[in-house]
Amino acid sequence: MADQVPPAQLPNKHVSRLSTKLSLDDLNLLTPEIRKELVDDHGLEVRVTSRSNRVKELLDRAGLTATPTEATYDKVYDRTTPGYDRVYDRG
Amino acid sequence: MSVAPNKICESVVDYLLLKVAARCNIACTYCYWFRDGTVYEKPKVMSRDTFDELARKLIKHVHTFGLKTFSILFHGGEPLLCKKSDLSAFCSSLRAEESNLGCHFRFNLTTNGLLIDEEWVNIFKRFDVGLTLSIDGPKQIHDAARIDFEGNGTFDEVIKAIEFLRKHGIEPGILSVCQPEADPQDVLTLVVDQLGFGGFDILFPDASHLDVPASIAHYYHRLFDLWFDKYDSKGVTVRILDNMLLGLFGGYSESESIGYGPIRRLTVLTDGGMETLDVLRVIGNGFTATKLNIHTHEVQDIERDPLWREVLNASLNLAPECNHCQYKTACGGGHIASRWSSERRFNNQSVYCQDIQKIFQHIWNRVRPDLYLAPTSKLLV
């Protein structure tokens, strides 16, 4: 994954524009910490979304590039029912 | 004595691939299982004794680690070759302990469908066994590789199996394997337009650096375009595409084929033998063999197997070339088996690395124009 940019270096375009052409690096910048900073320091809550419903769902599942802890690894066998949901039970 | 949840090791086995049969009733040309000739040394099906011992060990394991869910995939060969009474008894014994254990056992079964009958359907319903059927596409695609021992295609039988299951109120999942020379539109037409499934998966063909697999980039480019342009709006999902998108967005794939994360699979064979990922049999005869057996060891003892530890380590520590890749987390080195070489073992990029990078780039190029930042409440202008 691309190295994270410290919050202080977050380009202004993410704050001042309503929408922007996103790069993969931009997505990677939107960690929970940076999003929290956007809210706390700039009063701006943003979410990445898409015109595609499925893409939107997957963005939500990804937590907008939230950095998961090791505890959220949850891999399934591929040779099973596609879409089989597993619940990570270690709270 | 239960282990307190906050002390649970991240490598605790909570998912079992259970080989209830070591033989198959058909002879798919690409099958990884029979690439390893030692499978013929195993009992054809799991015995009642082994089922019973495994059930005892699983109950003990779940209790020891305080697990709330435990998943079992019944597999083969062809799992429906095993004795119905034995599989039923196994499922029954685990289900009977669920409330005592505070654990739910999730049962799934992957089958070629040819042996499904009313008795099996009753078993699936009684024990809530999720079903997946393998179908690679329309008749000319499916029958090119999924053949019986006389070389005859099996497509017609699989369709009958799907109809039979639906008639009895069971909606199976659908699993396909990419055939690079085919057109994915044909697969979508069959599975979605004709058979009416709302989702399915298309796996990469199993291969390692010992092989020279055909390129799959063009296939998945086209698959993605078709899904994104025509089928996404209908609510159709393709699991491999979901997992690749999830990875691109910084989430973690739930798939063993793509995406970064620990591999801690346990496979139990028909004789009770314990091994890591069964797909690693593509590497060679006896590659996955251990000295561990459910008759003499505990479930978690798989941690003692050097290969199991090597796979776990490799899944978390990718090859040096991967560390600078922008798709490192989304890809995770691809399937662990695809990283194997005789020279460096798992310390390689995937044999599909170039293809995977192209596929990710293509997917990103297609979804990016549709992505935008949406302020949700307060707005700073």
Side-chain angles (χ1 to χ4, degrees):
Chain A
M1 183 180 281
D3 290 337
Q4 307 246 336
V5 175
Q9 297 174 25
L10 187 67
N12 285 334
K13 66 179 178 179
H14 296 298
V15 174
S16 63
R17 288 168 56 178
L18 283 175
S19 66
T20 181
K21 287 259 187 231
L22 295 172
S23 71
L24 208 50
D25 288 342
D26 292 336
L27 276 192
N28 291 334
L29 283 175
L30 288 171
T31 63
E33 293 75 24
I34 289 177
R35 284 164 51 220
K36 186 174 185 303
E37 181 186 316
L38 286 171
V39 170
D40 293 346
D41 296 356
H42 305 288
L44 181 63
E45 289 184 44
V46 295
R47 63 186 178 94
V48 181
T49 188
S50 168
R51 292 169 189 84
S52 155
N53 284 336
R54 185 58 178 171
V55 172
K56 203 184 312 183
E57 281 174 32
L58 294 169
L59 285 164
D60 286 343
R61 273 172 63 183
L64 300 176
T65 72
T67 304
T69 63
E70 190 179 353
T72 64
Y73 294 154
D74 203 11
K75 286 188 170 292
V76 300
Y77 279 117
D78 286 350
R79 289 164 178 82
T80 185
T81 305
Y84 180 57
D85 291 328
R86 294 180 68 202
V87 175
Y88 194 83
D89 58 7
R90 291 179 184 74
Chain B
M1 186 174 89
S2 292
V3 176
N6 61 0
K7 293 185 188 298
I8 288 175
C9 170
E10 290 302 331
S11 66
V12 170
V13 173
D14 61 357
Y15 203 117
L16 169 64
L17 182 70
L18 184 53
K19 296 288 188 179
V20 299
R23 303 288 187 276
C24 192
N25 54 335
I26 63 175
C28 302
T29 58
Y30 54 67
C31 181
Y32 68 88
W33 176 248
F34 293 104
R35 282 176 70 167
D36 179 352
T38 64
V39 302
Y40 291 102
E41 298 167 11
K42 300 296 178 188
K44 292 179 184 175
V45 295
M46 185 169 280
S47 70
R48 183 63 177 265
D49 280 347
T50 301
F51 267 121
D52 288 347
E53 183 61 22
L54 177 60
R56 276 192 285 275
K57 292 289 174 64
L58 284 173
I59 289 165
K60 183 179 175 186
H61 175 80
V62 165
H63 175 72
T64 299
F65 291 99
L67 300 178
K68 301 301 177 201
T69 58
F70 192 96
S71 300
I72 299 174
L73 174 59
F74 300 111
H75 209 258
E78 170 47 52
L80 300 189
L81 285 171
C82 82
K83 285 182 72 174
K84 290 169 181 156
S85 55
D86 290 347
L87 190 70
S88 290
F90 177 76
C91 293
S92 179
S93 60
L94 292 180
R95 284 276 182 252
E97 291 297 322
E98 281 183 319
S99 47
N100 287 342
L101 293 169
C103 175
H104 174 59
F105 288 98
R106 291 178 166 166
F107 298 144
N108 267 275
L109 185 145
T110 303
T111 173
N112 59 41
L114 271 58
L115 297 174
I116 290 177
D117 60 19
E118 199 145 340
E119 286 180 332
W120 275 121
V121 165
N122 290 338
I123 291 170
F124 302 149
K125 284 181 166 179
R126 181 178 168 200
F127 298 110
D128 191 22
V129 180
L131 267 204
T132 301
L133 257 67
S134 298
I135 187 166
D136 284 356
K139 189 173 173 67
Q140 72 275 15
I141 296 176
H142 179 97
D143 286 348
R146 296 189 70 84
I147 55 177
D148 63 20
F149 289 100
E150 279 78 47
N152 303 314
T154 56
F155 179 83
D156 294 338
E157 284 84 356
V158 177
I159 296 299
K160 282 183 194 157
I162 292 171
E163 289 166 355
F164 186 85
L165 286 167
R166 282 174 159 171
K167 184 176 145 194
H168 287 83
I170 293 181
E171 183 72 1
I174 294 295
L175 194 60
S176 299
V177 175
C178 162
Q179 296 196 24
E181 69 284 2
D183 184 351
Q185 176 65 73
D186 293 334
V187 182
L188 285 158
T189 299
L190 170 72
V191 174
V192 178
D193 300 332
Q194 294 173 0
L195 295 176
F197 287 99
F200 66 109
D201 198 5
I202 305 184
L203 303 179
F204 292 0
D206 294 318
S208 71
H209 287 279
L210 301 175
D211 307 297
V212 185
S215 173
I216 55 172
H218 65 288
Y219 185 98
Y220 284 91
H221 285 186
R222 177 147 165 82
L223 176 67
F224 186 83
D225 289 343
L226 290 167
W227 172 78
F228 196 54
D229 296 332
K230 289 166 52 172
Y231 290 89
D232 173 34
S233 57
K234 299 179 189 178
V236 173
T237 60
V238 182
R239 188 170 67 174
I240 183 73
L241 302 182
D242 272 3
N243 284 320
M244 295 188 89
L245 281 164
L246 202 57
L248 280 173
F249 299 153
Y252 279 79
S253 163
E254 296 168 344
S255 162
E256 69 180 32
S257 289
I258 202 84
Y260 184 76
I263 300 290
R264 48 177 192 257
R265 303 285 179 265
L266 169 64
T267 302
V268 171
L269 307 174
T270 52
D271 62 354
M274 297 162 64
E275 299 183 347
T276 182
L277 269 179
D278 65 328
V279 177
L280 294 179
R281 286 170 184 279
V282 300
I283 293 169
N285 287 344
F287 182 77
T288 54
T290 73
K291 294 183 167 57
L292 304 170
N293 192 292
I294 207 67
H295 287 283
T296 51
H297 294 83
E298 305 298 329
V299 168
Q300 196 62 28
D301 284 343
I302 189 62
E303 285 185 308
R304 298 185 193 177
D305 176 44
L307 181 60
W308 189 90
R309 291 200 301 274
E310 185 181 0
V311 166
L312 174 62
N313 181 59
S315 65
L316 294 174
N317 297 289
L318 305 184
E321 298 89 340
C322 295
N323 288 328
H324 305 290
C325 177
Q326 62 176 325
Y327 305 121
K328 176 186 171 182
T329 305
C331 169
H335 196 288
I336 191 76
S338 73
R339 293 166 55 187
W340 174 266
S341 75
S342 303
E343 297 79 22
R344 293 169 55 169
R345 298 180 68 88
F346 297 111
N347 194 26
N348 299 295
Q349 302 153 284
S350 170
V351 70
Y352 288 118
C353 176
Q354 297 303 314
D355 281 347
I356 292 173
Q357 289 192 56
K358 288 177 186 169
I359 297 166
F360 273 123
Q361 188 62 53
H362 180 81
I363 291 176
W364 177 245
N365 288 343
R366 287 300 321 270
V367 299
R368 178 187 163 173
D370 267 6
L371 296 179
Y372 56 98
L373 285 175
T376 57
S377 56
K378 302 170 193 172
L379 172 64
L380 179 70
V381 178

